[in-house]
Amino acid sequence: MKRTALALLLIAGTVMAAQADTFVLRDVLKPGGKARSMAAKQTDGRKCGATNGSFPTRDTAQFTACMSALGWTIGKIKRSPPSDENKPDPADTTVVHFDDQRRKADGHWRGNGALQTDTRRCSGYGARDYESRGFIHCMASAGWRHASTHHAKRPAPSDDDDYTPPPIDTSDNTPPPIPAPPPPMQYDVITGQPLP
C-alpha cells in the first residue's frame, strides 16, 4: 500500500507522497497572531489519520479536509520529479531489479544512492556479474531482495550477418609423429664423467 509521509515544520507543514507531490500546510488560525507549535501540528496530523509520520496516499483528500477543519490549509503544492522506477527498462541492456527489505524508520525506501553503493560493493566495482549467485547473495545480506531481471533484447539478424566461417580441413587427421626420446646418458661412478 502506498503511503504518504507527513513531515511537519514549525511554520509550514508538508505532506509528502513517495515520488508524488508535496503539500505545504499553513496555520490559518494563528492564535494570538502566532503560528502554532510543531507539537500542535503533529497532534492534529495524528487526529487526521497520520500514524508514524505518514498516512495512506488514497486518503489525501480526507486528510487535507480534516486538517483544514483544524485550521491548517494548503499553502502550495510542490511537484516532485518523476521517478525513474516507472520508466521502461532499455531494450539493449540487462537490468536487475531489487526491492528494499530494510526501509527507513519512516517506512520509505533507502533510495537509489544506497542501492547504487551496495551494487558497487557487491559487484566488486564491476568485476562480478549482476546475475551471479554471489552478487545476489551479497545484495540480500545488505537488505535488497532480487525482484526480477530484464534481459537485453538481441538485435534481429540482418543481411550483413551472412558470414560463414571457412570450413576446417579434416582430410588429414593423423597426428604428427612424436620423436623418440634420446637414450639416457651413462656416467662413470668414480669420476662423474659421461661414458662414450
Side-chain angles (χ1 to χ4, degrees):
M1 170 173 54
K2 187 182 248 186
R3 294 183 69 81
T4 299
L6 174 64
L8 298 173
L9 304 174
L10 187 56
I11 296 175
T14 61
V15 180
M16 301 184 321
Q19 301 302 328
D21 299 331
T22 301
F23 300 89
V24 179
L25 302 175
R26 290 186 298 118
D27 183 4
V28 292
L29 290 182
K30 293 186 181 178
K34 188 174 179 183
R36 290 175 279 172
S37 70
M38 173 73 76
K41 286 184 183 182
Q42 290 173 342
T43 301
D44 287 346
R46 284 191 294 273
K47 287 178 187 175
C48 292
T51 56
N52 296 327
S54 65
F55 64 90
T57 301
R58 67 174 184 266
D59 295 342
T60 300
Q62 178 183 347
F63 178 81
T64 54
C66 176
M67 290 297 280
S68 179
L70 295 174
W72 304 97
T73 187
I74 297 175
K76 64 179 176 176
I77 298 175
K78 296 179 185 176
R79 304 289 178 198
S80 70
S83 169
D84 61 350
E85 275 295 306
N86 298 326
K87 292 181 183 175
D89 293 326
D92 60 344
T93 31
T94 296
V95 180
V96 182
H97 294 274
F98 289 89
D99 290 333
D100 190 3
Q101 301 299 302
R102 293 184 191 162
R103 293 182 178 258
K104 295 185 218 174
D106 63 3
H108 290 96
W109 76 296
R110 290 177 282 171
N112 197 41
L115 175 63
Q116 296 307 319
T117 299
D118 288 337
T119 298
R120 283 189 297 275
R121 182 181 57 80
C122 287
S123 71
Y125 294 87
R128 184 184 282 170
D129 180 17
Y130 293 148
E131 295 181 83
S132 69
R133 287 182 58 194
F135 175 76
I136 292 172
H137 178 72
C138 178
M139 291 295 284
S141 69
W144 302 98
R145 182 181 62 85
H146 178 248
S148 64
T149 301
H150 169 82
H151 292 281
K153 291 183 182 176
R154 300 191 189 278
S158 67
D159 292 337
D160 296 338
D161 293 340
D162 290 337
Y163 172 75
T164 306
I168 300 173
D169 182 17
T170 58
S171 59
D172 185 18
N173 287 337
T174 58
I178 300 174
M185 294 285 293
Q186 294 183 355
Y187 295 93
D188 185 322
V189 177
I190 297 173
T191 63
Q193 298 294 323
L195 296 174

